[in-house]
Protein backbone atom coordinates (compact mmCIF):
# COMPACT_ATOMS: atom_id res chain seq x y z
CA UNK A 1 0.00 0.00 0.00
CA UNK A 2 1.23 3.51 -0.87
CA UNK A 3 2.47 5.13 2.37
CA UNK A 4 2.33 8.64 0.86
CA UNK A 5 -1.36 8.19 0.11
CA UNK A 6 -2.01 6.98 3.65
CA UNK A 7 -0.15 9.99 5.02
CA UNK A 8 -2.45 12.35 3.13
CA UNK A 9 -5.47 10.33 4.29
CA UNK A 10 -4.34 10.52 7.91
CA UNK A 11 -3.82 14.28 7.80
CA UNK A 12 -7.33 14.85 6.40
CA UNK A 13 -8.77 12.50 9.04
CA UNK A 14 -6.99 14.44 11.78
CA UNK A 15 -7.64 17.98 10.56
CA UNK A 16 -11.04 17.65 8.90
CA UNK A 17 -10.41 19.87 5.86
CA UNK A 18 -8.16 19.80 2.81
CA UNK A 19 -6.79 23.24 3.63
CA UNK A 20 -5.69 22.38 7.17
CA UNK A 21 -4.29 19.03 6.05
CA UNK A 22 -2.35 20.83 3.31
CA UNK A 23 -0.91 23.27 5.83
CA UNK A 24 0.27 20.37 7.98
CA UNK A 25 1.87 18.66 4.98
CA UNK A 26 3.12 21.94 3.45
CA UNK A 27 1.33 21.32 0.14
CA UNK A 28 -1.73 22.87 -1.47
CA UNK A 29 -5.26 21.60 -0.90
CA UNK A 30 -5.56 20.41 -4.52
CA UNK A 31 -2.66 18.04 -4.04
CA UNK A 32 -4.25 16.65 -0.88
CA UNK A 33 -7.56 16.12 -2.68
CA UNK A 34 -5.86 14.37 -5.60
CA UNK A 35 -3.86 12.01 -3.36
CA UNK A 36 -6.87 11.07 -1.21
CA UNK A 37 -9.00 10.40 -4.30
CA UNK A 38 -6.21 8.23 -5.74
CA UNK A 39 -6.10 6.21 -2.51
CA UNK A 40 -9.89 5.72 -2.58
CA UNK A 41 -9.66 4.48 -6.17
CA UNK A 42 -6.82 2.09 -5.28
CA UNK A 43 -8.78 0.69 -2.33
CA UNK A 44 -12.12 0.85 -4.19
CA UNK A 45 -13.68 2.39 -1.08
CA UNK A 46 -15.04 5.79 -0.08
CA UNK A 47 -13.02 6.94 2.93
CA UNK A 48 -14.65 10.35 3.54
CA UNK A 49 -18.06 11.95 3.33
CA UNK A 50 -17.54 15.33 1.64
CA UNK A 51 -19.51 18.28 3.03
CA UNK A 52 -19.16 22.09 2.89
CA UNK A 53 -18.01 22.08 6.51
CA UNK A 54 -15.27 19.49 5.95
CA UNK A 55 -14.46 15.81 5.56
CA UNK A 56 -15.99 13.15 7.86
CA UNK A 57 -14.73 9.57 7.98
CA UNK A 58 -16.93 6.81 6.59
CA UNK A 59 -17.00 3.37 8.21
CA UNK A 60 -14.25 2.27 5.80
CA UNK A 61 -12.23 5.36 6.70
CA UNK A 62 -12.58 4.70 10.44
CA UNK A 63 -11.40 1.13 9.91
CA UNK A 64 -8.33 2.35 8.03
CA UNK A 65 -7.25 4.93 10.63
CA UNK A 66 -5.48 2.56 13.09
CA UNK A 67 -3.49 0.99 10.24
CA UNK A 68 -2.45 4.41 8.95
CA UNK A 69 -1.50 5.51 12.47
CA UNK A 70 0.61 2.37 12.93
CA UNK A 71 2.43 3.03 9.65
CA UNK A 72 2.99 6.67 10.62
CA UNK A 73 4.48 5.64 13.96
CA UNK A 74 6.66 3.02 12.25
CA UNK A 75 7.87 5.58 9.69
CA UNK A 76 8.77 7.98 12.51
CA UNK A 77 10.68 5.19 14.21
CA UNK A 78 12.63 4.41 11.03
CA UNK A 79 13.46 8.11 10.61
CA UNK A 80 14.77 8.26 14.17
CA UNK A 81 16.93 5.21 13.64
CA UNK A 82 18.34 6.58 10.36
CA UNK A 83 19.31 9.75 12.18
CA UNK A 84 21.31 7.79 14.73
CA UNK A 85 18.53 7.52 17.31
CA UNK A 86 17.46 4.29 19.02
CA UNK A 87 14.09 2.60 18.95
CA UNK A 88 11.82 3.68 21.78
CA UNK A 89 12.18 1.47 24.82
CA UNK A 90 11.61 1.55 28.55
CA UNK A 91 8.42 1.98 30.51
CA UNK A 92 5.49 4.37 30.01
CA UNK A 93 2.63 4.66 32.52
CA UNK A 94 -0.55 6.62 31.79
CA UNK A 95 -3.20 7.31 34.44
CA UNK A 96 -6.65 8.03 33.02
CA UNK A 97 -10.30 7.86 34.04
CA UNK A 98 -11.98 4.48 33.68
CA UNK A 99 -14.37 5.49 30.90
CA UNK A 100 -11.91 7.35 28.66
CA UNK A 101 -9.15 4.82 29.21
CA UNK A 102 -11.26 1.73 28.58
CA UNK A 103 -13.52 3.02 25.81
CA UNK A 104 -11.37 5.52 23.90
CA UNK A 105 -7.66 4.85 24.44
CA UNK A 106 -7.59 1.06 24.86
CA UNK A 107 -9.30 0.20 21.54
CA UNK A 108 -6.85 2.45 19.66
CA UNK A 109 -3.59 1.60 21.43
CA UNK A 110 -2.63 -1.40 19.28
CA UNK A 111 -1.06 0.70 16.52
CA UNK A 112 1.19 2.62 18.89
CA UNK A 113 2.20 -0.55 20.75
CA UNK A 114 2.97 -2.39 17.51
CA UNK A 115 5.13 0.48 16.28
CA UNK A 116 7.16 0.46 19.52
CA UNK A 117 7.49 -3.20 20.56
CA UNK A 118 10.36 -2.50 22.96
CA UNK A 119 8.27 -0.05 24.98
CA UNK A 120 6.33 -1.34 28.00
CA UNK A 121 3.00 0.50 28.37
CA UNK A 122 0.83 0.63 31.51
CA UNK A 123 -2.70 1.95 30.99
CA UNK A 124 -4.04 2.61 34.49
CA UNK A 125 -7.75 3.19 33.83
CA UNK A 126 -9.61 3.52 37.11
CA UNK A 127 -11.70 5.75 39.33
CA UNK A 128 -9.16 8.18 40.78
CA UNK A 129 -5.79 9.15 39.37
CA UNK A 130 -2.11 8.50 39.96
CA UNK A 131 -0.05 11.64 40.60
CA UNK A 132 2.65 12.67 38.08
CA UNK A 133 4.04 15.16 40.62
CA UNK A 134 4.96 12.23 42.88
CA UNK A 135 6.13 10.15 39.89
CA UNK A 136 3.29 7.65 40.35
CA UNK A 137 2.69 7.94 36.59
CA UNK A 138 4.47 9.50 33.64
CA UNK A 139 1.30 11.20 32.47
CA UNK A 140 -2.27 11.64 33.65
CA UNK A 141 -5.41 12.60 31.75
CA UNK A 142 -7.48 14.48 34.32
CA UNK A 143 -10.96 15.97 34.54
CA UNK A 144 -9.63 19.36 35.73
CA UNK A 145 -6.41 21.29 35.32
CA UNK A 146 -4.02 20.70 38.26
CA UNK A 147 -3.21 23.87 40.20
CA UNK A 148 0.05 22.81 41.83
CA UNK A 149 3.14 20.71 41.26
CA UNK A 150 6.12 20.68 38.87
CA UNK A 151 3.86 19.83 35.95
CA UNK A 152 3.33 20.72 32.34
CA UNK A 153 -0.42 20.82 31.74
CA UNK A 154 -2.69 21.60 28.81
CA UNK A 155 -6.18 20.82 27.61
CA UNK A 156 -6.28 17.58 25.66
CA UNK A 157 -9.89 17.63 24.45
CA UNK A 158 -13.42 18.74 25.18
CA UNK A 159 -16.10 16.08 25.44
CA UNK A 160 -19.88 15.98 25.74
CA UNK A 161 -22.27 14.03 27.95
CA UNK A 162 -25.97 13.40 27.44
CA UNK A 163 -28.98 11.72 28.98
CA UNK A 164 -29.47 8.08 27.89
CA UNK A 165 -32.25 5.52 28.30
CA UNK A 166 -32.49 1.79 27.52
CA UNK A 167 -33.24 1.19 23.84
CA UNK A 168 -35.95 -1.35 24.73
CA UNK A 169 -37.92 1.08 26.94
CA UNK A 170 -39.68 3.50 24.58
CA UNK A 171 -42.07 4.39 27.41
CA UNK A 172 -39.14 5.69 29.49
CA UNK A 173 -37.77 7.53 26.48
CA UNK A 174 -41.09 9.30 25.94
CA UNK A 175 -41.50 10.09 29.64
CA UNK A 176 -37.98 11.54 29.87
CA UNK A 177 -38.63 13.76 26.85
CA UNK A 178 -42.00 15.05 28.02
CA UNK A 179 -41.64 15.75 31.73
CA UNK A 180 -39.09 16.20 34.53
CA UNK A 181 -37.54 12.89 35.56
CA UNK A 182 -38.57 13.31 39.18
CA UNK A 183 -42.21 13.91 38.28
CA UNK A 184 -42.20 11.03 35.78
CA UNK A 185 -41.07 8.63 38.50
CA UNK A 186 -38.22 7.24 36.41
CA UNK A 187 -35.29 5.56 38.19
CA UNK A 188 -32.06 7.49 37.69
CA UNK A 189 -28.61 5.88 37.45
CA UNK A 190 -25.57 7.85 38.64
CA UNK A 191 -22.54 8.06 40.92
CA UNK A 192 -22.45 7.33 44.65
CA UNK A 193 -22.42 10.92 46.04
CA UNK A 194 -20.21 10.41 49.09
CA UNK A 195 -17.42 8.68 47.14
CA UNK A 196 -17.45 10.90 44.07
CA UNK A 197 -13.77 11.16 43.12
CA UNK A 198 -14.00 14.43 41.14
CA UNK A 199 -16.46 17.37 41.41
CA UNK A 200 -16.71 17.47 37.60
CA UNK A 201 -18.76 14.24 37.83
CA UNK A 202 -21.46 15.90 39.93
CA UNK A 203 -23.59 16.86 36.93
CA UNK A 204 -27.16 15.66 37.62
CA UNK A 205 -28.15 19.21 38.66
CA UNK A 206 -27.32 20.26 35.09
CA UNK A 207 -30.04 17.90 33.85
CA UNK A 208 -32.61 19.01 36.44
CA UNK A 209 -32.08 20.98 39.67
CA UNK A 210 -32.19 18.66 42.67
CA UNK A 211 -32.10 15.47 40.59
CA UNK A 212 -30.79 12.46 42.57
CA UNK A 213 -29.61 9.05 41.44
CA UNK A 214 -31.56 6.15 42.89
CA UNK A 215 -29.39 3.36 41.39
CA UNK A 216 -25.73 4.18 41.94
CA UNK A 217 -22.21 2.99 41.16
CA UNK A 218 -18.69 4.40 41.46
CA UNK A 219 -17.97 2.96 37.97
CA UNK A 220 -19.09 4.70 34.78
CA UNK A 221 -18.78 1.39 32.91
CA UNK A 222 -21.14 -0.21 35.42
CA UNK A 223 -23.53 2.72 35.01
CA UNK A 224 -23.58 2.18 31.25
CA UNK A 225 -24.40 -1.51 31.74
CA UNK A 226 -27.10 -0.69 34.28
CA UNK A 227 -28.79 1.82 31.97
CA UNK A 228 -28.55 -0.53 28.97
CA UNK A 229 -30.08 -3.39 30.97
CA UNK A 230 -33.05 -1.32 32.18
CA UNK A 231 -32.06 -0.16 35.67
CA UNK A 232 -32.88 3.46 34.84
CA UNK A 233 -31.95 6.50 32.77
CA UNK A 234 -28.72 8.38 33.32
CA UNK A 235 -25.96 10.66 32.09
CA UNK A 236 -23.10 9.14 30.09
CA UNK A 237 -20.19 10.52 28.03
CA UNK A 238 -21.17 10.42 24.37
CA UNK A 239 -17.92 8.65 23.41
CA UNK A 240 -18.91 5.85 25.79
CA UNK A 241 -22.57 5.50 24.77
CA UNK A 242 -22.99 6.67 21.18
CA UNK A 243 -22.07 3.35 19.54
CA UNK A 244 -23.97 1.14 22.03
CA UNK A 245 -27.13 -0.18 20.34
CA UNK A 246 -28.67 -0.91 23.75
CA UNK A 247 -28.79 2.82 24.55
CA UNK A 248 -30.81 5.71 23.14
CA UNK A 249 -30.06 9.35 23.79
CA UNK A 250 -33.02 11.38 25.03
CA UNK A 251 -33.22 15.17 25.14
CA UNK A 252 -30.45 15.44 22.49
CA UNK A 253 -30.52 19.24 22.75
CA UNK A 254 -29.49 19.01 26.41
CA UNK A 255 -25.70 18.62 26.48
CA UNK A 256 -23.21 18.74 29.35
CA UNK A 257 -19.69 19.88 28.43
CA UNK A 258 -16.48 18.83 30.16
CA UNK A 259 -12.76 18.70 29.29
CA UNK A 260 -9.83 16.32 29.63
CA UNK A 261 -6.48 17.78 30.75
CA UNK A 262 -3.07 16.28 30.08
CA UNK A 263 -0.49 16.56 32.88
CA UNK A 264 3.09 15.31 33.06
CA UNK A 265 6.14 16.02 35.19
CA UNK A 266 8.24 18.68 33.48
CA UNK A 267 11.45 16.65 33.94
CA UNK A 268 10.27 13.87 31.61
CA UNK A 269 8.66 16.05 28.92
CA UNK A 270 11.70 15.98 26.56
CA UNK A 271 12.02 12.18 26.58
CA UNK A 272 11.37 10.60 23.15
CA UNK A 273 8.93 7.99 24.49
CA UNK A 274 6.84 10.76 26.08
CA UNK A 275 6.88 12.96 22.97
CA UNK A 276 5.96 10.00 20.74
CA UNK A 277 2.99 8.99 22.91
CA UNK A 278 1.66 12.55 23.17
CA UNK A 279 1.91 12.93 19.38
CA UNK A 280 -0.02 9.68 18.95
CA UNK A 281 -2.63 10.73 21.54
CA UNK A 282 -3.13 14.14 19.91
CA UNK A 283 -3.61 12.42 16.57
CA UNK A 284 -6.21 10.02 17.98
CA UNK A 285 -8.13 12.88 19.61
CA UNK A 286 -8.11 14.93 16.40
CA UNK A 287 -9.17 11.98 14.26
CA UNK A 288 -12.07 11.04 16.52
CA UNK A 289 -13.08 14.51 17.74
CA UNK A 290 -16.67 14.02 16.49
CA UNK A 291 -17.02 11.03 18.79
CA UNK A 292 -15.95 13.18 21.75
CA UNK A 293 -18.13 16.15 20.80
CA UNK A 294 -20.88 14.93 18.43
Amino acid sequence: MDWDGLQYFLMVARHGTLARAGQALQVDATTVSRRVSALERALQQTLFERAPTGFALTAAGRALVPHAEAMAAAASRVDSASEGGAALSGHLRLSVSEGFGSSFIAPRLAGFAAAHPELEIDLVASSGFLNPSRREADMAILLARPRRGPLITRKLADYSLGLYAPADRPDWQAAAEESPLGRAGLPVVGYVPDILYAPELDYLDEIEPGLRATVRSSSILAQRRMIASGAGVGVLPCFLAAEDAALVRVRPDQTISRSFWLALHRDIAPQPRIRAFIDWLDGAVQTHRKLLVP
Side-chain angles (χ1 to χ4, degrees):
M1 186 178 291
D2 176 20
W3 159 237
D4 283 343
L6 281 175
Q7 188 176 24
Y8 282 86
F9 159 77
L10 193 54
M11 287 299 104
V12 176
R14 288 178 175 175
H15 295 282
T17 69
L18 297 175
R20 289 198 293 267
Q23 289 173 356
L25 291 162
Q26 297 184 330
V27 299
D28 60 67
T30 303
T31 299
V32 178
S33 178
R34 185 172 65 250
R35 298 303 293 269
V36 169
S37 296
L39 179 64
E40 289 180 317
R41 288 194 299 273
L43 296 175
Q44 297 184 339
Q45 291 181 314
T46 301
L47 301 175
F48 295 102
E49 296 287 351
R50 275 77 166 170
T53 54
F55 280 42
L57 288 164
T58 63
R62 289 193 296 273
L64 184 60
V65 165
H67 302 290
E69 288 177 337
M71 290 185 70
S76 176
R77 188 170 159 222
V78 169
D79 288 343
S80 295
S82 67
E83 293 169 3
L88 296 183
S89 61
H91 183 213
L92 187 151
R93 175 170 289 182
L94 173 69
S95 176
V96 61
S97 65
E98 179 191 37
F100 191 59
S102 299
S103 298
F104 187 89
I105 294 178
R108 298 174 174 85
L109 194 58
F112 181 82
H116 305 291
E118 297 179 33
L119 186 63
E120 296 180 9
I121 305 168
D122 291 344
L123 178 63
V124 184
S126 61
S127 299
F129 299 96
L130 302 180
N131 192 332
S133 294
R134 296 197 295 264
R135 305 301 181 92
E136 295 173 345
D138 295 309
M139 290 174 278
I141 299 174
L142 307 168
L143 302 180
R145 187 171 194 165
R147 301 300 180 187
R148 294 179 294 178
L151 300 174
I152 294 174
T153 63
R154 66 169 171 85
K155 184 187 287 189
L156 176 65
D158 295 320
Y159 68 100
S160 298
L161 304 97
L163 184 64
Y164 287 86
D168 60 357
R169 292 300 304 263
D171 54 330
W172 284 8
Q173 298 163 29
E177 292 281 6
E178 295 170 2
S179 61
L181 299 180
R183 190 184 308 164
L186 297 181
V188 177
V189 174
Y191 282 102
V192 183
D194 56 336
I195 55 173
L196 204 65
Y197 69 89
E200 290 75 21
L201 301 177
D202 188 13
Y203 38 58
L204 288 183
D205 263 349
E206 297 179 46
I207 296 295
E208 290 174 12
L211 185 64
R212 293 179 62 255
T214 53
V215 184
R216 301 183 284 260
S217 174
S218 60
S219 164
I220 192 66
L221 298 183
Q223 290 178 40
R224 180 181 69 173
R225 294 294 296 272
M226 290 192 294
I227 297 168
S229 65
V233 301
V235 175
L236 294 169
C238 295
F239 65 79
L240 186 66
E243 297 179 350
D244 190 334
L247 296 167
V248 170
R249 187 170 178 182
V250 294
R251 304 185 188 178
D253 294 335
Q254 190 172 26
T255 297
I256 297 171
S257 298
R258 294 290 189 268
S259 299
F260 288 121
W261 292 83
L262 180 66
L264 63 155
H265 198 288
R266 63 168 61 102
D267 289 349
I268 68 167
Q271 295 180 10
R273 63 189 174 86
I274 301 299
R275 295 201 310 269
F277 185 81
I278 291 174
D279 287 346
W280 171 83
L281 184 59
D282 282 337
V285 165
Q286 285 297 317
T287 300
H288 302 285
R289 60 194 178 279
K290 289 187 178 178
L291 181 63
L292 294 167
V293 184

